[in-house]
């Protein structure tokens, strides 16, 4: 699309929110409402068929809004935080296995991987207000809930 809005090309089949590029630049992960349910989806950067990673509708899950996601630098894992639920999860892009990363009763948003993929920085509400914390991906722990 040109800066003035001309020559735009839609790459999603329906609405899409919170996009993030894959490390190789070939794929975009985003949230979209499909059949009334918010899903985590991927699509080629050139457009085309979408792939539903979360399959929330078929699992009977109804997230209240979209999900903010980021690719692991190896492109095989995505970490995401549902906007309203403020939980933190990872999903393997090939197997679809979902892992809960967050601790109970802590709110998470806007995760982002370190360049080496060993850590995630995320907005977290531990007490009052939001802070940035780092989660070690090898242990899935926030050391002492330390702030950045």
């Amino acid at each position: 699309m040109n800066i003035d809005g001309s020559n735009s090309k839609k790459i999603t089949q329906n609405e899409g929110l919170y996009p993030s590029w894959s490390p190789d630049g070939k794929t975009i992960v985003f949230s979209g409402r499909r059949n009334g349910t918010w899903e985590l989806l991927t699509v080629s950067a050139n457009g085309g068929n979408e792939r539903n990673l979360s399959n929330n509708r078929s699992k009977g899950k109804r997230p209240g809004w979209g999900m903010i996601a980021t690719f692991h630098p190896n492109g095989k894992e995505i970490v995401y935080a549902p906007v309203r639920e403020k939980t933190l999860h990872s999903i393997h892009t090939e197997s679809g296995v979902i892992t809960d990363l967050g601790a109970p009763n802590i709110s998470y948003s806007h995760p982002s991987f370190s360049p080496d993929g060993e850590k995630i920085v995320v907005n977290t509400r531990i007490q009052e207000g939001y802070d940035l914390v780092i989660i070690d991906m090898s242990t899935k722990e926030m050391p002492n809930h330390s702030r950045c």
Side-chain angles (χ1 to χ4, degrees):
M1 176 172 84
N2 297 331
I3 199 163
D4 67 359
S6 63
N7 293 325
S8 65
K9 178 187 175 195
K10 185 175 178 175
I11 62 169
T12 60
Q13 294 170 358
N14 292 300
E15 69 183 331
L17 295 172
Y18 312 119
S20 183
W21 289 98
S22 64
D24 65 8
K26 295 180 180 177
T27 306
I28 297 171
V29 63
F30 67 100
S31 284
R33 191 170 28 206
R34 303 296 182 265
N35 299 311
T37 303
W38 285 100
E39 301 286 3
L40 186 65
L41 305 140
T42 58
V43 67
S44 164
N46 297 320
N49 291 332
E50 297 174 353
R51 181 172 172 225
N52 186 337
L53 298 176
S54 58
N55 294 301
N56 287 324
R57 184 176 178 85
S58 67
K59 295 175 185 175
K61 294 183 178 181
R62 303 277 302 189
W65 197 251
M67 290 149 268
I68 297 173
T70 183
F71 271 94
H72 185 282
N74 70 14
K76 295 182 180 182
E77 185 178 10
I78 295 169
V79 169
Y80 66 97
V83 173
R84 287 218 177 123
E85 290 80 2
K86 298 194 181 323
T87 53
L88 189 66
H89 314 276
S90 69
I91 186 167
H92 192 275
T93 59
E94 294 170 5
S95 69
V97 172
I98 296 173
T99 303
D100 294 332
L101 299 177
N105 303 317
I106 295 179
S107 297
Y108 300 91
S109 65
H110 298 85
S112 180
F113 273 102
S114 62
D116 62 9
E118 293 182 11
K119 297 175 182 165
I120 300 170
V121 64
V122 63
N123 293 118
T124 306
R125 185 174 187 143
I126 297 172
Q127 295 171 352
E128 293 181 23
Y130 280 87
D131 297 303
L132 298 178
V133 297
I134 294 174
I135 298 173
D136 184 313
M137 287 302 289
S138 64
T139 62
K140 308 292 193 259
E141 293 179 357
M142 290 185 291
N144 301 321
H145 296 301
S146 59
R147 295 178 177 179
C148 295

